[in-house]
PDB file of all heavy atoms in Angstrom:
ATOM      1  N   LEU A  91       7.604   9.476   2.119  1.00 98.00           N
ATOM      2  CA  LEU A  91       8.262  10.720   1.500  1.00 98.00           C
ATOM      3  C   LEU A  91       7.829  10.838   0.076  1.00 98.00           C
ATOM      4  O   LEU A  91       8.116   9.947  -0.676  1.00 98.00           O
ATOM      5  CB  LEU A  91       9.787  10.662   1.709  1.00 98.00           C
ATOM      6  CG  LEU A  91      10.493  11.836   1.091  1.00 98.00           C
ATOM      7  CD1 LEU A  91      10.092  13.221   1.739  1.00 98.00           C
ATOM      8  CD2 LEU A  91      12.107  11.603   1.224  1.00 98.00           C
ATOM      9  N   CYS A  92       7.035  11.846  -0.194  1.00 98.00           N
ATOM     10  CA  CYS A  92       6.463  11.997  -1.639  1.00 98.00           C
ATOM     11  C   CYS A  92       7.068  13.156  -2.267  1.00 98.00           C
ATOM     12  O   CYS A  92       7.156  14.234  -1.714  1.00 98.00           O
ATOM     13  CB  CYS A  92       5.022  12.080  -1.484  1.00 98.00           C
ATOM     14  SG  CYS A  92       4.155  12.235  -3.111  1.00 98.00           S
ATOM     15  N   GLU A  93       7.431  13.004  -3.582  1.00 98.00           N
ATOM     16  CA  GLU A  93       7.985  14.121  -4.366  1.00 98.00           C
ATOM     17  C   GLU A  93       6.992  15.250  -4.453  1.00 98.00           C
ATOM     18  O   GLU A  93       5.718  14.976  -4.453  1.00 98.00           O
ATOM     19  CB  GLU A  93       8.359  13.537  -5.698  1.00 98.00           C
ATOM     20  CG  GLU A  93       9.843  13.417  -5.906  1.00 98.00           C
ATOM     21  CD  GLU A  93      10.683  14.507  -5.428  1.00 98.00           C
ATOM     22  OE1 GLU A  93      10.476  15.690  -5.786  1.00 98.00           O
ATOM     23  OE2 GLU A  93      11.658  14.266  -4.705  1.00 98.00           O
ATOM     24  N   LYS A  94       7.510  16.435  -4.695  1.00 97.00           N
ATOM     25  CA  LYS A  94       6.651  17.588  -4.864  1.00 97.00           C
ATOM     26  C   LYS A  94       6.160  17.681  -6.313  1.00 97.00           C
ATOM     27  O   LYS A  94       6.796  17.104  -7.172  1.00 97.00           O
ATOM     28  CB  LYS A  94       7.310  18.860  -4.488  1.00 97.00           C
ATOM     29  CG  LYS A  94       8.663  19.138  -5.186  1.00 97.00           C
ATOM     30  CD  LYS A  94       8.555  19.581  -6.625  1.00 97.00           C
ATOM     31  CE  LYS A  94       9.845  19.536  -7.293  1.00 97.00           C
ATOM     32  NZ  LYS A  94       9.581  19.763  -8.845  1.00 97.00           N
ATOM     33  N   PRO A  95       4.930  18.247  -6.616  1.00 97.00           N
ATOM     34  CA  PRO A  95       3.968  18.625  -5.632  1.00 97.00           C
ATOM     35  C   PRO A  95       3.253  17.304  -5.103  1.00 97.00           C
ATOM     36  O   PRO A  95       2.998  16.368  -5.862  1.00 97.00           O
ATOM     37  CB  PRO A  95       2.910  19.424  -6.372  1.00 97.00           C
ATOM     38  CG  PRO A  95       3.157  19.024  -7.818  1.00 97.00           C
ATOM     39  CD  PRO A  95       4.606  18.658  -7.921  1.00 97.00           C
ATOM     40  N   MET A 118       5.659  13.351   4.547  1.00 98.00           N
ATOM     41  CA  MET A 118       6.353  14.609   4.249  1.00 98.00           C
ATOM     42  C   MET A 118       6.427  14.793   2.721  1.00 98.00           C
ATOM     43  O   MET A 118       6.782  13.796   1.943  1.00 98.00           O
ATOM     44  CB  MET A 118       7.680  14.631   4.837  1.00 98.00           C
ATOM     45  CG  MET A 118       8.436  15.952   4.763  1.00 98.00           C
ATOM     46  SD  MET A 118      10.047  16.042   5.548  1.00 98.00           S
ATOM     47  CE  MET A 118      11.156  15.893   4.076  1.00 98.00           C
ATOM     48  N   GLU A 119       6.198  16.021   2.324  1.00 98.00           N
ATOM     49  CA  GLU A 119       6.426  16.368   0.872  1.00 98.00           C
ATOM     50  C   GLU A 119       7.899  16.644   0.590  1.00 98.00           C
ATOM     51  O   GLU A 119       8.542  17.396   1.381  1.00 98.00           O
ATOM     52  CB  GLU A 119       5.573  17.619   0.505  1.00 98.00           C
ATOM     53  CG  GLU A 119       5.675  18.078  -0.863  1.00 98.00           C
ATOM     54  CD  GLU A 119       4.604  19.194  -1.216  1.00 98.00           C
ATOM     55  OE1 GLU A 119       3.922  19.713  -0.264  1.00 98.00           O
ATOM     56  OE2 GLU A 119       4.523  19.502  -2.405  1.00 98.00           O
ATOM     57  N   GLY A 120       8.420  16.184  -0.505  1.00 98.00           N
ATOM     58  CA  GLY A 120       9.851  16.428  -0.765  1.00 98.00           C
ATOM     59  C   GLY A 120       9.988  17.777  -1.254  1.00 98.00           C
ATOM     60  O   GLY A 120       9.585  18.205  -2.256  1.00 98.00           O
ATOM     61  N   MET A 121      10.782  18.557  -0.485  1.00 97.00           N
ATOM     62  CA  MET A 121      11.055  19.937  -0.951  1.00 97.00           C
ATOM     63  C   MET A 121      12.476  20.188  -0.308  1.00 97.00           C
ATOM     64  O   MET A 121      12.709  20.569   0.864  1.00 97.00           O
ATOM     65  CB  MET A 121      10.008  20.891  -0.233  1.00 97.00           C
ATOM     66  CG  MET A 121      10.424  22.414  -0.487  1.00 97.00           C
ATOM     67  SD  MET A 121      10.482  22.963  -2.311  1.00 97.00           S
ATOM     68  CE  MET A 121       8.843  22.550  -2.897  1.00 97.00           C
ATOM     69  N   LYS A 122      13.417  20.043  -1.193  1.00 97.00           N
ATOM     70  CA  LYS A 122      14.881  19.999  -0.795  1.00 97.00           C
ATOM     71  C   LYS A 122      15.591  21.224  -0.409  1.00 97.00           C
ATOM     72  O   LYS A 122      16.509  21.127   0.377  1.00 97.00           O
ATOM     73  CB  LYS A 122      15.633  19.410  -1.936  1.00 97.00           C
ATOM     74  CG  LYS A 122      15.622  20.124  -3.274  1.00 97.00           C
ATOM     75  CD  LYS A 122      16.420  19.424  -4.441  1.00 97.00           C
ATOM     76  CE  LYS A 122      16.267  20.285  -5.683  1.00 97.00           C
ATOM     77  NZ  LYS A 122      17.021  19.702  -6.783  1.00 97.00           N
ATOM     78  N   PRO A 123      15.096  22.458  -0.883  1.00 98.00           N
ATOM     79  CA  PRO A 123      16.103  23.689  -0.593  1.00 98.00           C
ATOM     80  C   PRO A 123      16.354  23.947   0.910  1.00 98.00           C
ATOM     81  O   PRO A 123      17.480  24.212   1.226  1.00 98.00           O
ATOM     82  CB  PRO A 123      15.328  24.870  -1.216  1.00 98.00           C
ATOM     83  CG  PRO A 123      14.530  24.167  -2.317  1.00 98.00           C
ATOM     84  CD  PRO A 123      14.150  22.838  -1.779  1.00 98.00           C
ATOM     85  N   PRO A 124      15.346  23.736   1.786  1.00 98.00           N
ATOM     86  CA  PRO A 124      15.679  24.164   3.162  1.00 98.00           C
ATOM     87  C   PRO A 124      16.656  23.302   3.913  1.00 98.00           C
ATOM     88  O   PRO A 124      17.047  23.703   4.967  1.00 98.00           O
ATOM     89  CB  PRO A 124      14.259  24.113   3.830  1.00 98.00           C
ATOM     90  CG  PRO A 124      13.451  23.175   3.130  1.00 98.00           C
ATOM     91  CD  PRO A 124      13.933  23.350   1.691  1.00 98.00           C
ATOM     92  N   PHE A 125      16.961  22.170   3.297  1.00 98.00           N
ATOM     93  CA  PHE A 125      17.898  21.146   3.896  1.00 98.00           C
ATOM     94  C   PHE A 125      19.391  21.386   3.458  1.00 98.00           C
ATOM     95  O   PHE A 125      20.183  20.720   4.017  1.00 98.00           O
ATOM     96  CB  PHE A 125      17.385  19.718   3.700  1.00 98.00           C
ATOM     97  CG  PHE A 125      16.014  19.661   4.262  1.00 98.00           C
ATOM     98  CD1 PHE A 125      14.968  19.510   3.377  1.00 98.00           C
ATOM     99  CD2 PHE A 125      15.738  19.594   5.674  1.00 98.00           C
ATOM    100  CE1 PHE A 125      13.614  19.361   3.933  1.00 98.00           C
ATOM    101  CE2 PHE A 125      14.383  19.408   6.087  1.00 98.00           C
ATOM    102  CZ  PHE A 125      13.420  19.416   5.203  1.00 98.00           C
ATOM    103  N   PHE A 126      19.541  22.156   2.405  1.00 98.00           N
ATOM    104  CA  PHE A 126      20.798  22.364   1.886  1.00 98.00           C
ATOM    105  C   PHE A 126      21.741  23.109   2.901  1.00 98.00           C
ATOM    106  O   PHE A 126      21.295  23.948   3.704  1.00 98.00           O
ATOM    107  CB  PHE A 126      20.783  23.161   0.571  1.00 98.00           C
ATOM    108  CG  PHE A 126      20.705  22.275  -0.656  1.00 98.00           C
ATOM    109  CD1 PHE A 126      19.447  21.628  -0.792  1.00 98.00           C
ATOM    110  CD2 PHE A 126      21.596  22.212  -1.684  1.00 98.00           C
ATOM    111  CE1 PHE A 126      19.347  20.779  -1.910  1.00 98.00           C
ATOM    112  CE2 PHE A 126      21.408  21.431  -2.758  1.00 98.00           C
ATOM    113  CZ  PHE A 126      20.291  20.670  -2.919  1.00 98.00           C
ATOM    114  N   ILE A 175       7.562  24.140 -11.443  1.00 96.00           N
ATOM    115  CA  ILE A 175       8.576  25.012 -11.020  1.00 96.00           C
ATOM    116  C   ILE A 175       8.132  25.942  -9.878  1.00 96.00           C
ATOM    117  O   ILE A 175       8.735  26.242  -8.987  1.00 96.00           O
ATOM    118  CB  ILE A 175       9.167  25.897 -12.212  1.00 96.00           C
ATOM    119  CG1 ILE A 175       9.843  24.968 -13.190  1.00 96.00           C
ATOM    120  CG2 ILE A 175      10.021  26.967 -11.728  1.00 96.00           C
ATOM    121  CD1 ILE A 175      10.383  25.683 -14.541  1.00 96.00           C
ATOM    122  N   GLY A 176       6.871  26.439 -10.075  1.00 97.00           N
ATOM    123  CA  GLY A 176       6.228  27.363  -9.147  1.00 97.00           C
ATOM    124  C   GLY A 176       6.162  26.820  -7.757  1.00 97.00           C
ATOM    125  O   GLY A 176       6.055  27.644  -6.730  1.00 97.00           O
ATOM    126  N   ILE A 177       6.091  25.564  -7.517  1.00 97.00           N
ATOM    127  CA  ILE A 177       6.037  24.913  -6.136  1.00 97.00           C
ATOM    128  C   ILE A 177       7.307  25.363  -5.276  1.00 97.00           C
ATOM    129  O   ILE A 177       7.180  25.617  -4.234  1.00 97.00           O
ATOM    130  CB  ILE A 177       5.858  23.462  -6.229  1.00 97.00           C
ATOM    131  CG1 ILE A 177       5.681  22.785  -4.856  1.00 97.00           C
ATOM    132  CG2 ILE A 177       7.040  22.762  -6.921  1.00 97.00           C
ATOM    133  CD1 ILE A 177       4.248  22.990  -4.360  1.00 97.00           C
ATOM    134  N   TYR A 178       8.446  25.442  -6.032  1.00 98.00           N
ATOM    135  CA  TYR A 178       9.694  25.938  -5.315  1.00 98.00           C
ATOM    136  C   TYR A 178       9.633  27.360  -4.957  1.00 98.00           C
ATOM    137  O   TYR A 178       9.792  27.744  -3.817  1.00 98.00           O
ATOM    138  CB  TYR A 178      10.919  25.829  -6.237  1.00 98.00           C
ATOM    139  CG  TYR A 178      11.346  24.325  -6.415  1.00 98.00           C
ATOM    140  CD1 TYR A 178      11.417  23.851  -7.653  1.00 98.00           C
ATOM    141  CD2 TYR A 178      11.919  23.700  -5.371  1.00 98.00           C
ATOM    142  CE1 TYR A 178      11.945  22.549  -7.855  1.00 98.00           C
ATOM    143  CE2 TYR A 178      12.405  22.387  -5.462  1.00 98.00           C
ATOM    144  CZ  TYR A 178      12.395  21.925  -6.728  1.00 98.00           C
ATOM    145  OH  TYR A 178      12.857  20.549  -7.030  1.00 98.00           O
ATOM    146  N   GLU A 179       9.042  28.250  -5.818  1.00 98.00           N
ATOM    147  CA  GLU A 179       8.880  29.574  -5.578  1.00 98.00           C
ATOM    148  C   GLU A 179       7.801  29.860  -4.420  1.00 98.00           C
ATOM    149  O   GLU A 179       8.026  30.779  -3.562  1.00 98.00           O
ATOM    150  CB  GLU A 179       8.429  30.412  -6.757  1.00 98.00           C
ATOM    151  CG  GLU A 179       9.625  30.750  -7.648  1.00 98.00           C
ATOM    152  CD  GLU A 179      10.360  29.562  -8.252  1.00 98.00           C
ATOM    153  OE1 GLU A 179       9.731  28.731  -8.910  1.00 98.00           O
ATOM    154  OE2 GLU A 179      11.635  29.626  -8.045  1.00 98.00           O
ATOM    155  N   ALA A 180       6.784  28.991  -4.437  1.00 98.00           N
ATOM    156  CA  ALA A 180       5.752  29.052  -3.389  1.00 98.00           C
ATOM    157  C   ALA A 180       6.391  28.820  -1.953  1.00 98.00           C
ATOM    158  O   ALA A 180       6.116  29.543  -1.035  1.00 98.00           O
ATOM    159  CB  ALA A 180       4.604  28.080  -3.656  1.00 98.00           C
ATOM    160  N   PHE A 181       7.220  27.782  -1.966  1.00 98.00           N
ATOM    161  CA  PHE A 181       7.925  27.417  -0.627  1.00 98.00           C
ATOM    162  C   PHE A 181       8.691  28.677  -0.199  1.00 98.00           C
ATOM    163  O   PHE A 181       8.670  29.050   0.899  1.00 98.00           O
ATOM    164  CB  PHE A 181       8.845  26.268  -0.855  1.00 98.00           C
ATOM    165  CG  PHE A 181       9.880  26.234   0.268  1.00 98.00           C
ATOM    166  CD1 PHE A 181       9.562  25.799   1.467  1.00 98.00           C
ATOM    167  CD2 PHE A 181      11.217  26.707  -0.057  1.00 98.00           C
ATOM    168  CE1 PHE A 181      10.480  25.830   2.539  1.00 98.00           C
ATOM    169  CE2 PHE A 181      12.091  26.669   0.968  1.00 98.00           C
ATOM    170  CZ  PHE A 181      11.746  26.278   2.215  1.00 98.00           C
ATOM    171  N   LEU A 182       9.507  29.228  -1.086  1.00 98.00           N
ATOM    172  CA  LEU A 182      10.405  30.282  -0.653  1.00 98.00           C
ATOM    173  C   LEU A 182       9.555  31.480  -0.107  1.00 98.00           C
ATOM    174  O   LEU A 182       9.937  32.114   0.960  1.00 98.00           O
ATOM    175  CB  LEU A 182      11.308  30.865  -1.815  1.00 98.00           C
ATOM    176  CG  LEU A 182      12.416  31.708  -1.452  1.00 98.00           C
ATOM    177  CD1 LEU A 182      13.532  30.993  -0.620  1.00 98.00           C
ATOM    178  CD2 LEU A 182      13.032  32.465  -2.614  1.00 98.00           C
ATOM    179  N   TRP A 248      18.838  28.847  -7.201  1.00 97.00           N
ATOM    180  CA  TRP A 248      18.592  29.146  -5.783  1.00 97.00           C
ATOM    181  C   TRP A 248      18.003  27.923  -5.107  1.00 97.00           C
ATOM    182  O   TRP A 248      18.208  27.691  -3.873  1.00 97.00           O
ATOM    183  CB  TRP A 248      17.691  30.296  -5.558  1.00 97.00           C
ATOM    184  CG  TRP A 248      16.236  30.007  -5.703  1.00 97.00           C
ATOM    185  CD1 TRP A 248      15.475  30.276  -6.809  1.00 97.00           C
ATOM    186  CD2 TRP A 248      15.321  29.355  -4.816  1.00 97.00           C
ATOM    187  NE1 TRP A 248      14.163  29.883  -6.632  1.00 97.00           N
ATOM    188  CE2 TRP A 248      14.074  29.266  -5.460  1.00 97.00           C
ATOM    189  CE3 TRP A 248      15.441  28.891  -3.497  1.00 97.00           C
ATOM    190  CZ2 TRP A 248      12.968  28.709  -4.780  1.00 97.00           C
ATOM    191  CZ3 TRP A 248      14.454  28.211  -2.943  1.00 97.00           C
ATOM    192  CH2 TRP A 248      13.126  28.186  -3.497  1.00 97.00           C
ATOM    193  N   TRP A 249      17.295  27.024  -5.816  1.00 97.00           N
ATOM    194  CA  TRP A 249      16.828  25.746  -5.228  1.00 97.00           C
ATOM    195  C   TRP A 249      17.813  24.711  -4.949  1.00 97.00           C
ATOM    196  O   TRP A 249      17.459  23.742  -4.251  1.00 97.00           O
ATOM    197  CB  TRP A 249      15.570  25.262  -5.955  1.00 97.00           C
ATOM    198  CG  TRP A 249      15.924  25.004  -7.490  1.00 97.00           C
ATOM    199  CD1 TRP A 249      16.414  23.795  -8.006  1.00 97.00           C
ATOM    200  CD2 TRP A 249      16.004  26.011  -8.526  1.00 97.00           C
ATOM    201  NE1 TRP A 249      16.684  24.081  -9.335  1.00 97.00           N
ATOM    202  CE2 TRP A 249      16.419  25.301  -9.633  1.00 97.00           C
ATOM    203  CE3 TRP A 249      15.573  27.291  -8.673  1.00 97.00           C
ATOM    204  CZ2 TRP A 249      16.550  25.944 -10.893  1.00 97.00           C
ATOM    205  CZ3 TRP A 249      15.758  28.005  -9.797  1.00 97.00           C
ATOM    206  CH2 TRP A 249      16.183  27.330 -11.023  1.00 97.00           C
ATOM    207  N   LEU A 275      19.857  15.699  -2.285  1.00 97.00           N
ATOM    208  CA  LEU A 275      18.740  15.066  -1.729  1.00 97.00           C
ATOM    209  C   LEU A 275      19.154  14.326  -0.436  1.00 97.00           C
ATOM    210  O   LEU A 275      18.257  13.964   0.329  1.00 97.00           O
ATOM    211  CB  LEU A 275      18.116  14.122  -2.803  1.00 97.00           C
ATOM    212  CG  LEU A 275      17.429  14.700  -3.909  1.00 97.00           C
ATOM    213  CD1 LEU A 275      16.896  13.669  -4.834  1.00 97.00           C
ATOM    214  CD2 LEU A 275      16.279  15.649  -3.429  1.00 97.00           C
ATOM    215  N   GLU A 278      17.848  16.117   2.738  1.00 98.00           N
ATOM    216  CA  GLU A 278      16.325  15.916   2.984  1.00 98.00           C
ATOM    217  C   GLU A 278      16.091  14.469   3.448  1.00 98.00           C
ATOM    218  O   GLU A 278      15.248  14.309   4.362  1.00 98.00           O
ATOM    219  CB  GLU A 278      15.598  16.087   1.528  1.00 98.00           C
ATOM    220  CG  GLU A 278      14.129  15.858   1.574  1.00 98.00           C
ATOM    221  CD  GLU A 278      13.592  15.931   0.143  1.00 98.00           C
ATOM    222  OE1 GLU A 278      13.483  16.982  -0.434  1.00 98.00           O
ATOM    223  OE2 GLU A 278      13.196  14.964  -0.359  1.00 98.00           O
ATOM    224  N   ILE A 295       9.760  21.448   9.421  1.00 98.00           N
ATOM    225  CA  ILE A 295      10.362  22.270   8.365  1.00 98.00           C
ATOM    226  C   ILE A 295       9.443  22.356   7.236  1.00 98.00           C
ATOM    227  O   ILE A 295       8.955  23.402   6.756  1.00 98.00           O
ATOM    228  CB  ILE A 295      11.833  21.822   7.960  1.00 98.00           C
ATOM    229  CG1 ILE A 295      12.686  22.098   9.198  1.00 98.00           C
ATOM    230  CG2 ILE A 295      12.251  22.643   6.780  1.00 98.00           C
ATOM    231  CD1 ILE A 295      14.158  21.610   8.919  1.00 98.00           C
ATOM    232  N   ILE A 296       9.149  21.162   6.540  1.00 98.00           N
ATOM    233  CA  ILE A 296       8.135  20.949   5.510  1.00 98.00           C
ATOM    234  C   ILE A 296       6.900  20.363   6.296  1.00 98.00           C
ATOM    235  O   ILE A 296       6.607  19.099   6.201  1.00 98.00           O
ATOM    236  CB  ILE A 296       8.614  20.118   4.345  1.00 98.00           C
ATOM    237  CG1 ILE A 296       9.816  20.711   3.701  1.00 98.00           C
ATOM    238  CG2 ILE A 296       7.523  20.060   3.335  1.00 98.00           C
ATOM    239  CD1 ILE A 296       9.693  22.124   3.248  1.00 98.00           C
ATOM    240  N   MET A 300       2.699  23.796   5.714  1.00 98.00           N
ATOM    241  CA  MET A 300       3.547  24.262   4.652  1.00 98.00           C
ATOM    242  C   MET A 300       3.020  23.684   3.321  1.00 98.00           C
ATOM    243  O   MET A 300       2.921  24.378   2.337  1.00 98.00           O
ATOM    244  CB  MET A 300       4.992  24.051   4.860  1.00 98.00           C
ATOM    245  CG  MET A 300       5.805  24.322   3.675  1.00 98.00           C
ATOM    246  SD  MET A 300       5.898  26.035   3.167  1.00 98.00           S
ATOM    247  CE  MET A 300       7.070  26.672   4.376  1.00 98.00           C
ATOM    248  N   SER A 301       2.744  22.414   3.298  1.00 98.00           N
ATOM    249  CA  SER A 301       2.335  21.742   2.107  1.00 98.00           C
ATOM    250  C   SER A 301       0.907  22.306   1.649  1.00 98.00           C
ATOM    251  O   SER A 301       0.681  22.590   0.514  1.00 98.00           O
ATOM    252  CB  SER A 301       2.264  20.242   2.191  1.00 98.00           C
ATOM    253  OG  SER A 301       3.512  19.696   2.410  1.00 98.00           O
ATOM    254  N   MET A 304       1.510  25.784   0.210  1.00 98.00           N
ATOM    255  CA  MET A 304       2.134  25.762  -1.149  1.00 98.00           C
ATOM    256  C   MET A 304       1.158  25.356  -2.218  1.00 98.00           C
ATOM    257  O   MET A 304       1.015  26.005  -3.248  1.00 98.00           O
ATOM    258  CB  MET A 304       3.313  24.777  -1.106  1.00 98.00           C
ATOM    259  CG  MET A 304       4.534  25.253  -0.312  1.00 98.00           C
ATOM    260  SD  MET A 304       6.034  24.226  -0.690  1.00 98.00           S
ATOM    261  CE  MET A 304       5.572  22.627   0.002  1.00 98.00           C
TER     262      MET A 304
END
Side-chain angles (χ1 to χ4, degrees):
L91 175 60
C92 180
E93 261 309 312
K94 54 79 190 167
M118 190 180 102
E119 182 171 9
M121 177 55 62
K122 61 184 177 177
F125 305 104
F126 274 63
I175 296 177
I177 186 78
Y178 285 118
E179 276 63 51
F181 160 76
L182 192 73
W248 81 259
W249 54 92
L275 290 178
E278 175 186 291
I295 298 175
I296 304 299
M300 171 62 83
S301 290
M304 289 190 295

